[in-house]
Amino acid sequence: MASEHFDVLIIGAGLSGIGMACRLAMACPGKRVGILERRRAIGGTWDLFRYPGVRSDSDMFTFGFGFRPWNALKVLADGPAILKYINETAREYAIERLVRFGMRTTHASWSSSARCWTVTAVDEDGEAHAFRADFLVGCTGYYAYEQGYVPEFAGLHEYQGQFIHPQHWPADVDWEGKRVVVIGSGATAVTLVPALAQKAAHVTMLQRSPGYVLSVPSRDAISTALLHVLPARIVYSLARRRNIALQRTLYKAAMRWPRRIRALLLAGVRRRLDGAASLADFTPAYAPWTQRLCVVPDNDLFDALRDGKASVWTDTVAHFTPTGLTLASGATLDADIVISATGFQLQVLGGMTLDVDGEPRDPGRLMTYKGVLLEGIPNAAVLFGYINASWTLKVDLAAQYVCRLLQAMDAQGAHVVVPPASPGQATDACIMDSLHAGYVMRGEAQLPRQGRSGPWHVTHRYEADRRVLLDDPIDDGILAFL
């Protein structure tokens, strides 16, 4: 296998990978950078997901890149707009030319004698390729692209209608005038229901348990007004700062006063439902932000319920029938189309395996250093976003930290950096331990471990991470430089 050698090799050309490459272009322009992407296009999640109504579940002022603000007034942008934004960013920073498309990475091996990584990837024809890199950055997100999670539904083989997982939405689906059941209550389900309800005969959201739903305006009225008196650059910068503060304030308030925030959220739902559905179907059994909050634009979910185009059932599937579903309560739902919006399969590093000098290393048994580097793994970073705010906020901080680290290595003449093992620090909890979502509970063993304190403990606190990743000294007496 012929091999190319890079100073920095990025795995993944989605939002995180493109952001990482742009930060390197700005901070380390002399580095030879490569990107391996399994798909045939830039965009990651936003190129993969094509289901009706697909959009962000975080406001775009904080979901966009810090170095290239989201310069539009739409708060929750649709998938095509986000994909366009990622591609335009890649073109602006000349990142497209760095991407090797159709490369599924399978293994990365570190050699201490050669002081570099050898990454094996397989192309679409099954041919293996080798790439060498001094520094490796994983930007593959946290879920498997090949297959979403589908529970083992009894009798599914008997169902004669169309069964779909939204992660792989067929281009030829026709739901106009059809009876549709969406199984799930998370961000995907609350997005799908109002989008499908525009043409379907009726859409039923079948949920095992309710989640918190918050409606926000689809356009930023404050920024709209400020654009009449201030330059756009300042207006969007102010919007980003404001929304970061609002996100953090809501999360911290939910942690400190869960009952009060719960009451406020449910009062908002009660007003928007206006009797169209039972409040019990929107009253979770858990405290706010122990699972991710679902955000909808301009009451669209509640409008569909009030208009009678959609309804909500809180129940579980007993078994499928040829024409629909029988529920645990004994009720039946007829459906021409069933959509299993039942979540992801967790996956770290895109399923790629690691070894150091021939010794296998399992990320699920390692801690992270400052939420970026892997314990005991030389010259490697893995970018994970926030679970309680916009994913990109943390990824962008981590990307800047990687650039600072590379600059520090160059200044010291160091070829290798490694966070040494820290016995006694690891806990049984994973880095997403505060999020009790189903996909985390199912796959938490794959995620890096949570440390007890210091740089080994992932806080998911933006204010603290800004200081730790952007301001604190790189050489802190813990990292080993060789």
Side-chain angles (χ1 to χ4, degrees), residues 179-194:
R179 298 163 299 176
V180 182
V181 171
V182 178
I183 303 174
S185 60
T188 302
V190 301
T191 299
L192 274 166
V193 169

Side-chain angles (χ1 to χ4, degrees), residues 46 54 60 70 72 74 76-88:
W46 303 105
V54 59
M60 286 304 299
W70 173 259
K74 199 166 187 178
L76 301 178
D78 59 71
I82 298 171
L83 183 59
K84 180 182 178 184
Y85 170 74
I86 296 171
N87 276 282
E88 287 177 347

Side-chain angles (χ1 to χ4, degrees), residues 166-299:
Q167 189 168 317
H168 299 285
W169 189 267
D172 60 350
V173 179
D174 178 16
W175 65 93
E176 185 171 0
K178 304 285 183 64
R179 298 163 299 176
V180 182
V181 171
V182 178
I183 303 174
S185 60
T188 302
V190 301
T191 299
L192 274 166
V193 169
L196 296 171
Q198 295 175 21
K199 296 194 301 181
H202 190 79
V203 181
T204 302
M205 186 169 83
L206 174 61
Q207 58 182 12
R208 182 177 55 188
S209 59
Y212 291 101
V213 181
L214 174 66
S215 179
V216 300
S218 63
R219 291 176 64 82
D220 189 328
I222 296 175
S223 294
T224 301
L226 289 176
L227 282 171
H228 293 294
V229 294
L230 292 173
R233 176 179 55 83
I234 295 176
V235 170
Y236 292 120
S237 176
L238 289 172
R240 180 178 173 85
R241 294 181 185 181
R242 178 199 67 210
N243 286 7
I244 289 173
L246 286 173
Q247 284 180 5
R248 294 300 300 147
T249 299
L250 176 59
Y251 180 77
K252 287 190 282 189
M255 295 299 100
R256 185 170 182 179
W257 304 294
R259 290 184 180 179
R260 295 182 186 179
I261 298 302
R262 174 184 173 87
L264 285 172
L265 291 171
L266 294 181
V269 169
R270 185 184 294 107
R271 288 195 304 272
R272 289 170 173 82
L273 282 175
D274 194 25
S278 170
L279 184 63
D281 290 321
F282 289 88
T283 304
Y286 56 87
W289 268 117
T290 52
Q291 294 191 32
R292 197 169 171 89
L293 197 67
C294 288
V295 181
V296 300
D298 287 339
N299 304 312

Side-chain angles (χ1 to χ4, degrees), residues 4-12 17 19-25 27-36 98-100 115-117 119 131-139 379-383 399 402-407 409-410 415:
E4 296 179 80
H5 195 120
F6 299 96
D7 296 319
V8 183
L9 184 60
I10 299 168
I11 311 300
M20 181 72 249
C22 290
R23 285 293 184 186
L24 285 167
C28 307
K31 299 289 185 186
R32 176 168 167 74
V33 177
I35 306 174
L36 302 184
L98 308 179
V99 186
R100 308 296 193 272
R115 296 189 299 195
C116 75
W117 288 96
V119 177
F131 301 89
R132 302 180 75 194
D134 298 332
F135 202 98
L136 189 64
V137 186
C139 296
N379 288 19
V382 181
L383 272 53
V402 170
C403 292
R404 292 181 64 214
L405 178 61
L406 293 170
Q407 290 170 337
M409 291 173 68
D410 288 345
H415 296 282

Side-chain angles (χ1 to χ4, degrees), residues 150-462:
V150 178
E152 293 185 6
F153 292 119
L156 180 57
H157 64 283
E158 299 177 9
Y159 178 57
Q160 296 177 3
Q162 195 165 10
F163 183 84
I164 302 169
H165 192 288
Q167 189 168 317
H168 299 285
W169 189 267
D172 60 350
V173 179
D174 178 16
W175 65 93
E176 185 171 0
K178 304 285 183 64
R179 298 163 299 176
V180 182
V181 171
V182 178
I183 303 174
S185 60
T188 302
V190 301
T191 299
L192 274 166
V193 169
L196 296 171
Q198 295 175 21
K199 296 194 301 181
H202 190 79
V203 181
T204 302
M205 186 169 83
L206 174 61
Q207 58 182 12
R208 182 177 55 188
S209 59
Y212 291 101
V213 181
L214 174 66
S215 179
V216 300
S218 63
R219 291 176 64 82
D220 189 328
I222 296 175
S223 294
T224 301
L226 289 176
L227 282 171
H228 293 294
V229 294
L230 292 173
R233 176 179 55 83
I234 295 176
V235 170
Y236 292 120
S237 176
L238 289 172
R240 180 178 173 85
R241 294 181 185 181
R242 178 199 67 210
N243 286 7
I244 289 173
L246 286 173
Q247 284 180 5
R248 294 300 300 147
T249 299
L250 176 59
Y251 180 77
K252 287 190 282 189
M255 295 299 100
R256 185 170 182 179
W257 304 294
R259 290 184 180 179
R260 295 182 186 179
I261 298 302
R262 174 184 173 87
L264 285 172
L265 291 171
L266 294 181
V269 169
R270 185 184 294 107
R271 288 195 304 272
R272 289 170 173 82
L273 282 175
D274 194 25
S278 170
L279 184 63
D281 290 321
F282 289 88
T283 304
Y286 56 87
W289 268 117
T290 52
Q291 294 191 32
R292 197 169 171 89
L293 197 67
C294 288
V295 181
V296 300
D298 287 339
N299 304 312
D300 66 353
L301 174 65
F302 303 110
D303 288 345
L305 294 170
R306 287 199 307 272
D307 293 343
K309 297 178 179 179
S311 57
V312 178
W313 280 72
T314 303
D315 208 333
T316 56
V317 178
H319 59 85
F320 274 73
T321 68
T323 58
L325 308 93
T326 298
L327 308 182
S329 64
T332 60
L333 293 175
D334 290 334
D336 303 300
I337 301 172
V338 174
I339 301 168
S340 183
T342 43
F344 306 117
Q345 301 272 21
L346 267 184
Q347 188 178 73
V348 177
L349 291 174
M352 179 175 68
T353 54
L354 297 175
D355 78 66
V356 175
D357 295 326
E359 180 184 340
R361 299 292 178 90
D362 178 4
R365 300 177 65 88
L366 305 175
M367 294 181 293
T368 62
Y369 169 86
K370 296 189 175 180
V372 182
L373 309 181
L374 287 173
E375 172 195 14
I377 306 294
N379 288 19
V382 181
L383 272 53
F384 286 101
Y386 284 124
I387 59 174
N388 57 5
S390 292
W391 175 268
T392 326
L393 283 179
K394 175 62 179 293
V395 164
D396 194 39
L397 293 178
Q400 292 176 79
Y401 175 79
V402 170
C403 292
R404 292 181 64 214
L405 178 61
L406 293 170
Q407 290 170 337
M409 291 173 68
D410 288 345
Q412 294 186 29
H415 296 282
V416 179
V417 63
V418 58
S422 183
Q425 270 284 351
T427 70
D428 291 333
C430 72
I431 58 172
M432 292 186 177
D433 65 319
S434 61
L435 189 67
H436 301 155
Y439 63 89
V440 175
M441 310 296 271
R442 288 192 305 270
E444 66 90 23
Q446 298 186 52
L447 293 170
R449 297 299 91 190
Q450 183 70 278
R452 299 182 189 279
S453 61
W456 309 106
H457 183 69
V458 180
T459 65
H460 293 284
R461 292 170 50 205
Y462 178 74

